[in-house]
Amino acid sequence: EVQLVESGGGLVQPGGSLRLSCAASGFNFRIYWMSWVRQAPGKGLEWVANINEDGSGRFYVDSVKGRFTISRDDAKSSVSLQMNSLRAEDTAIYYCAQVTWGRFDWGQGTLVTVSS
Amino acid sequence: QSALTQPPSASGSPGQSVTISCTGTSSDVGGYNHVSWYQQHPGKAPKVMIYEVNKRPSGVPDRFSGSKSGNTASLTVSGLQPEDEADYYCSSYAGTNGLFGGGTKLTVL
């Protein structure tokens, strides 16, 4: 059974940084793409970033390019999202997900609030 | 890529059937048999209900079914039950990026 546990969310001021982490278990982490998806309060799901199985490919939604970096550590079965230059519009629940051909299997999410 | 198009709301009475559509393009929904549907209750994480257009993960009731025609995929919930009231999202394989629909709020009257 896929288990994904996110951590690292919290309150941060505009312009600040935050690093989210996701611990994975229950599947062969090394062979899967991983993803971060966010959901702003009262809004729908928005894909944020993907990383391929060996970390050589990283893909981002336009609104976070140059500010966010996705990475993975296969030895620890974990994926991270480094978020810099945060804006109010980045406020959301951030979900870690295992991705298989467009199917997302989800963690429980971690809340990021960007506010002064 | 633009988000997939879903109706913002749908409704039905207990026991009835309701169908939610998800429209994309030939580059996503129409190009691959990799459409998924998710159910999300308030305050909860999304849950996969359908994947690969019409497959159900174990534990998902067979009241939930999926189909696709051209660039439009559909989720049908038969024999509506009160616990089916939730937000539903579709997603489609689209290459390197993720792609979701805007979501449909299903109300059980």
Short mmCIF file of all heavy atoms in Angstrom, two decimals, chain A residues 1-2 4 7 14 18 20 22 28-30 32 37 51-52 67 77 81 84-85 90 96-98 109 113:
data_model
loop_
_atom_site.label_atom_id
_atom_site.label_comp_id
_atom_site.label_asym_id
_atom_site.label_seq_id
_atom_site.Cartn_x
_atom_site.Cartn_y
_atom_site.Cartn_z
N GLU A 1 0.84 -1.19 0.00
CA GLU A 1 0.00 0.00 0.00
C GLU A 1 0.88 1.25 0.00
O GLU A 1 1.81 1.35 0.78
CB GLU A 1 -0.91 0.01 1.22
CG GLU A 1 -1.81 1.23 1.32
CD GLU A 1 -2.53 1.30 2.67
OE1 GLU A 1 -2.38 0.37 3.49
OE2 GLU A 1 -3.22 2.31 2.89
N VAL A 2 0.56 2.15 -0.90
CA VAL A 2 1.32 3.40 -0.98
C VAL A 2 1.06 4.24 0.26
O VAL A 2 -0.08 4.51 0.62
CB VAL A 2 0.91 4.19 -2.23
CG1 VAL A 2 1.55 5.56 -2.25
CG2 VAL A 2 1.25 3.42 -3.50
N LEU A 4 2.45 7.93 1.93
CA LEU A 4 3.22 9.14 1.72
C LEU A 4 2.91 10.09 2.86
O LEU A 4 1.74 10.37 3.13
CB LEU A 4 2.83 9.79 0.38
CG LEU A 4 3.06 8.92 -0.87
CD1 LEU A 4 2.33 9.50 -2.08
CD2 LEU A 4 4.55 8.80 -1.16
N SER A 7 5.78 16.68 5.35
CA SER A 7 6.13 17.49 6.51
C SER A 7 6.78 18.77 6.02
O SER A 7 7.16 18.88 4.85
CB SER A 7 7.08 16.74 7.44
OG SER A 7 8.28 16.40 6.77
N PRO A 14 6.03 36.63 3.09
CA PRO A 14 6.29 36.79 1.64
C PRO A 14 7.77 37.04 1.39
O PRO A 14 8.43 37.78 2.13
CB PRO A 14 5.45 38.02 1.29
CG PRO A 14 4.35 38.03 2.28
CD PRO A 14 4.95 37.51 3.56
N LEU A 18 10.80 27.86 2.27
CA LEU A 18 10.32 26.71 3.03
C LEU A 18 10.71 25.46 2.26
O LEU A 18 10.74 25.47 1.02
CB LEU A 18 8.81 26.80 3.18
CG LEU A 18 8.13 26.21 4.42
CD1 LEU A 18 8.70 26.80 5.71
CD2 LEU A 18 6.62 26.46 4.36
N LEU A 20 9.63 21.49 1.87
CA LEU A 20 8.70 20.41 2.17
C LEU A 20 9.38 19.07 1.92
O LEU A 20 10.17 18.95 0.98
CB LEU A 20 7.45 20.52 1.31
CG LEU A 20 6.70 21.85 1.34
CD1 LEU A 20 5.44 21.76 0.47
CD2 LEU A 20 6.36 22.26 2.75
N CYS A 22 8.69 14.62 1.88
CA CYS A 22 7.68 13.57 1.78
C CYS A 22 8.39 12.23 1.93
O CYS A 22 9.27 11.90 1.14
CB CYS A 22 6.98 13.65 0.44
SG CYS A 22 5.89 12.26 0.05
N ASN A 28 8.08 0.34 -4.42
CA ASN A 28 9.47 0.48 -4.87
C ASN A 28 9.70 1.91 -5.36
O ASN A 28 9.52 2.22 -6.54
CB ASN A 28 9.75 -0.53 -5.99
CG ASN A 28 11.22 -0.55 -6.38
OD1 ASN A 28 12.03 0.25 -5.87
ND2 ASN A 28 11.59 -1.46 -7.26
N PHE A 29 10.10 2.76 -4.45
CA PHE A 29 10.20 4.20 -4.69
C PHE A 29 11.05 4.52 -5.93
O PHE A 29 10.73 5.42 -6.69
CB PHE A 29 10.78 4.87 -3.46
CG PHE A 29 10.92 6.36 -3.55
CD1 PHE A 29 9.82 7.19 -3.33
CD2 PHE A 29 12.15 6.95 -3.83
CE1 PHE A 29 9.94 8.56 -3.40
CE2 PHE A 29 12.28 8.32 -3.92
CZ PHE A 29 11.17 9.14 -3.70
N ARG A 30 12.12 3.76 -6.13
CA ARG A 30 13.12 4.08 -7.16
C ARG A 30 12.58 4.07 -8.58
O ARG A 30 13.18 4.66 -9.46
CB ARG A 30 14.29 3.10 -7.06
CG ARG A 30 15.07 3.17 -5.78
CD ARG A 30 16.08 2.03 -5.68
NE ARG A 30 16.76 2.05 -4.39
CZ ARG A 30 17.91 2.67 -4.16
NH1 ARG A 30 18.51 3.33 -5.15
NH2 ARG A 30 18.45 2.63 -2.97
N TYR A 32 9.45 5.00 -9.59
CA TYR A 32 8.29 5.84 -9.83
C TYR A 32 8.64 7.31 -9.99
O TYR A 32 9.53 7.84 -9.31
CB TYR A 32 7.29 5.71 -8.67
CG TYR A 32 6.50 4.44 -8.72
CD1 TYR A 32 6.94 3.30 -8.04
CD2 TYR A 32 5.33 4.35 -9.47
CE1 TYR A 32 6.21 2.12 -8.09
CE2 TYR A 32 4.59 3.18 -9.52
CZ TYR A 32 5.05 2.07 -8.83
OH TYR A 32 4.33 0.91 -8.89
N VAL A 37 1.52 18.44 -5.76
CA VAL A 37 0.27 19.05 -6.23
C VAL A 37 -0.23 19.93 -5.08
O VAL A 37 -0.15 19.54 -3.92
CB VAL A 37 -0.77 17.98 -6.58
CG1 VAL A 37 -2.09 18.63 -7.03
CG2 VAL A 37 -0.25 17.04 -7.66
N ILE A 51 9.12 14.88 -10.83
CA ILE A 51 10.49 14.44 -10.98
C ILE A 51 10.46 13.00 -11.46
O ILE A 51 9.68 12.18 -10.94
CB ILE A 51 11.30 14.60 -9.67
CG1 ILE A 51 12.79 14.29 -9.91
CG2 ILE A 51 10.72 13.75 -8.54
CD1 ILE A 51 13.70 14.73 -8.76
N ASN A 52 11.30 12.68 -12.44
CA ASN A 52 11.25 11.33 -12.99
C ASN A 52 12.00 10.34 -12.09
O ASN A 52 12.53 10.71 -11.04
CB ASN A 52 11.76 11.30 -14.43
CG ASN A 52 13.24 11.61 -14.55
OD1 ASN A 52 13.91 11.88 -13.56
ND2 ASN A 52 13.75 11.56 -15.76
N ARG A 67 11.60 29.40 -8.92
CA ARG A 67 11.42 29.62 -7.48
C ARG A 67 11.40 28.31 -6.70
O ARG A 67 11.85 28.25 -5.56
CB ARG A 67 10.12 30.39 -7.22
CG ARG A 67 10.04 31.75 -7.88
CD ARG A 67 8.82 32.52 -7.39
NE ARG A 67 7.55 31.86 -7.68
CZ ARG A 67 6.64 31.54 -6.77
NH1 ARG A 67 6.84 31.82 -5.50
NH2 ARG A 67 5.49 30.96 -7.14
N SER A 77 14.06 7.11 0.29
CA SER A 77 12.70 7.04 -0.25
C SER A 77 11.93 8.32 0.07
O SER A 77 10.84 8.31 0.68
CB SER A 77 11.94 5.83 0.32
OG SER A 77 12.52 4.63 -0.13
N LEU A 81 10.50 19.46 -1.81
CA LEU A 81 10.18 20.64 -2.62
C LEU A 81 10.75 21.85 -1.90
O LEU A 81 10.27 22.23 -0.82
CB LEU A 81 8.67 20.79 -2.81
CG LEU A 81 8.25 21.91 -3.77
CD1 LEU A 81 8.66 21.55 -5.21
CD2 LEU A 81 6.74 22.15 -3.70
N ASN A 84 11.31 28.89 -2.70
CA ASN A 84 11.93 30.19 -2.42
C ASN A 84 11.06 31.31 -2.96
O ASN A 84 10.15 31.08 -3.77
CB ASN A 84 13.31 30.25 -3.07
CG ASN A 84 14.27 29.20 -2.54
OD1 ASN A 84 14.17 28.78 -1.39
ND2 ASN A 84 15.19 28.76 -3.39
N SER A 85 11.35 32.52 -2.52
CA SER A 85 10.61 33.71 -3.00
C SER A 85 9.11 33.49 -2.94
O SER A 85 8.39 33.74 -3.91
CB SER A 85 11.05 34.06 -4.43
OG SER A 85 12.44 34.28 -4.50
N ASP A 90 0.97 31.42 -3.18
CA ASP A 90 1.48 30.05 -2.98
C ASP A 90 0.82 29.39 -1.76
O ASP A 90 1.07 28.21 -1.50
CB ASP A 90 2.99 30.07 -2.77
CG ASP A 90 3.75 30.55 -4.00
OD1 ASP A 90 3.37 30.17 -5.13
OD2 ASP A 90 4.71 31.33 -3.83
N CYS A 96 2.04 15.51 -1.68
CA CYS A 96 3.03 14.66 -2.35
C CYS A 96 2.25 13.52 -3.01
O CYS A 96 1.27 13.03 -2.44
CB CYS A 96 4.01 14.14 -1.30
SG CYS A 96 5.11 12.82 -1.81
N ALA A 97 2.68 13.10 -4.19
CA ALA A 97 1.96 12.03 -4.86
C ALA A 97 2.92 11.16 -5.66
O ALA A 97 3.90 11.65 -6.23
CB ALA A 97 0.89 12.60 -5.79
N GLN A 98 2.60 9.87 -5.68
CA GLN A 98 3.25 8.94 -6.60
C GLN A 98 2.50 9.05 -7.93
O GLN A 98 1.27 9.09 -7.93
CB GLN A 98 3.15 7.51 -6.05
CG GLN A 98 3.73 6.46 -6.96
CD GLN A 98 3.08 5.10 -6.74
OE1 GLN A 98 1.93 4.86 -7.12
NE2 GLN A 98 3.80 4.19 -6.11
N GLY A 109 -1.06 15.61 2.86
CA GLY A 109 -0.86 17.04 2.63
C GLY A 109 -0.27 17.78 3.81
O GLY A 109 -0.36 17.35 4.96
N THR A 113 1.28 28.48 4.51
CA THR A 113 0.62 29.78 4.55
C THR A 113 1.67 30.87 4.39
O THR A 113 2.63 30.94 5.17
CB THR A 113 -0.13 29.99 5.88
OG1 THR A 113 -1.08 28.93 6.06
CG2 THR A 113 -0.86 31.32 5.89
#
